[in-house]
Amino acid sequence: MADYRQMWSDLGMDLEKHDLLCEALPGAFSGVFLSQENRPERMNYFNFVVAEIHGVRPAELVEHKQKGGKVFGTFCVYVPDEVIIAAGAIATGLCGGSEFWVPGGERVLPANTCPLIKASVGARLDRTCPFFRLADVYIGETTCDGKKKAWEILNQDVPVYVMDLPQMKRQGSLETWASQIRRLLTRVEEITGNRVTPEALASSIRLVNDKRRALARLYAARKSDPVPISGRDALLVSQIAFYDDPARFTAQTSALCDELEQRVAGGTGAFPKGVPRILITGSPMAIPNWKLHHIVETSGAAVVVEETCTGTRYFENLVDESGTSLEEQITALAERYLKINCACFTPNPGRIDDILRLVKEYRVDGVIDCNLKFCQLYSTESHLVQQALKDAGVPVLHLETDYSEQDAGQLQTRVQAFLEMLGR
Amino acid sequence: MPEELFYYLLFPNHHEGLKLYNALKEAGVGCTITPTPRFASRFCGIALRVRGDLLEAVRGVIADSGVRVEGVVPDNRER
C-alpha cells in the first residue's frame, strides 16, 4: 500500500495523531457513499480523490514547492483563486469539516466558536493535515468575527494575509473590493517573486470559469426528476473542487456530467422518481462533513441543490473574460465575487432572492435551513429566510448542528417529521 | 438471500490501483474505488472493492493486465 509517512513526517505532521484520522475516514466514507445504490460510475474518480486525499494531491504540492512554487491556503469563496494561479502559485482550500480537529481548535478558541473555525485552527495547530502544513501563506478574509480573531492566532504559527471584504453592497463597495484584490495581487507577486501579467490573469480567469461551468452543468443535471445523482455525491464533488487541480477537476466533472446527462435521457435516477426534493441552505459544509445530506437521503428524500458556499455560491456567475488589462480584469473579478450573497452582508436580500429562485428552478418541495452551531450570521439571518419562504408558501425546517454525531438521532427525527409533513 | 461478500484489492501505489480499475472497466467487471479500510491494511490510499461472485473474473483481468496486487482481503466483518 502507498506509504506517505515519510512525506507527512517531512511536513512536520504528528503521525500518531494523524493515524487516528486515517483509521476513521474509510469507515465514514463507506457508510455514507458505498451504502448508496446505483451511483454514477464516474464517481469513482471522486472516491479516488478521497482515498488519496492526504497522499496524491499533497505530493503534487510538495513537488510544486520543490520547484520553487508557492502554495496559498484559502478559507472562503470570496478569495479570488485567479490571482494566485496567475502568479504561478497553487491555491488550495483549507476549511476543516471534521470533529476530529475541533478539540485542537478549542485549546485556543472559545468553545462557542463555530466548528468550522475550530476545526480549521485545530488542523493547523495539531499538525494533522498536510494541506495546512503545505500552505506557505493563508489568505483570510473578514467574513465573520470568529474568523477575524482566528487569523490573529493562526498568524503566530503561519503567515496570514487578510482581505478586507466590504459588509454592505452600496456605492463604492465595488471599488473597495477591487482595491482589495489589487492589494492581494501585489502581495502574491511579492511572495512568489512572479509578476502577474494580463495574459496570465486572462488564462487563470478562463481556467476557474471552466471549473464553474462544469459545476453549473452538474447542478443543471440535478434539476431532473428522477435526479441522476445523489446530494451526497454532488456535495462530495463540490468539496473536492476546493482541493483538486482545477483543469483535472473540470475534466473529471465534465466526464461525470456526460454520464449524468445520459442517465437523465434514459430516466435513470439515484432515487425513484417523485421522492421529495430538498434544498439545503446555510453554513458551508467542508469535507468530510456529509452529515445532514446523509440523514436527509436515508430518510426518503433527495437533496437536489445547496445554496451554500459549498454549493451554488461557489460557482454561480462567471468572471467577464473580455478584459485585456489588469485593471479591467480586476474590476471583472470584483464584480463577479461581489455577486456572492453571504450572510456577512447587511442587508442581504440577494440571498433570499437566490433561495426563492432555486426553489423554482430545482422544483424543490421543502427547504432545510441549516447553520453550524455558533455561526451567528447564518443563524440570525435564518429569521428572514424562514419568513420569506413561509410567505412564498415553501415549507422550511431550521436546524442547527455541529460535526459531532451526538445529535444525529434527533436530527433524523426532525427531518423525518418534516418529510412527512411535505406529504409526498 | 444472503448478503453479498465483498473483497478489497490492495496495491503498492495508486498507479497500480487505477491501472486495474481501468482494466476491469474495459473488461466489464464491476468494481468501486474506495479508501482502504483499516481491517484490510494499516496504510492509507486506494483499494478496489469487488463483489465475491466476480472475484474469479477479477483474477483473470489481473493476470492479463500484469497489475501488481498486494493483497485480496475479504470483508468478514459482522454484517
Side-chain angles (χ1 to χ4, degrees), chain A residues 332-354:
Chain A
L333 285 166
E335 285 172 346
R336 185 269 157 189
Y337 280 88
L338 216 49
K339 285 179 189 160
I340 299 169
N341 294 310
C342 171
C344 69
F345 283 89
T346 183
N348 189 32
R351 177 167 169 241
I352 289 170
D353 293 344
D354 286 342

Side-chain angles (χ1 to χ4, degrees), chain A residues 146-210:
Chain A
K147 278 182 166 185
K148 282 190 279 190
K149 293 291 107 181
W151 305 142
E152 296 169 27
I153 295 170
L154 281 170
N155 195 47
Q156 294 179 326
D157 198 47
V158 58
V160 181
Y161 177 84
V162 182
M163 297 185 78
D164 186 4
L165 182 70
Q167 311 280 282
M168 299 185 77
K169 293 179 182 177
R170 51 167 49 159
Q171 198 174 5
S173 300
L174 183 67
E175 182 43 43
T176 302
W177 185 231
S179 75
Q180 286 297 309
I181 295 175
R182 215 172 284 123
R183 284 172 67 103
L184 173 72
L185 188 148
T186 304
R187 190 75 191 103
V188 168
E189 284 184 331
E190 288 167 1
I191 293 165
T192 60
N194 297 329
R195 286 295 302 275
V196 172
T197 64
E199 293 74 23
L201 193 50
S203 170
S204 66
I205 286 172
R206 284 194 299 274
L207 180 74
V208 181
N209 270 348
D210 284 346

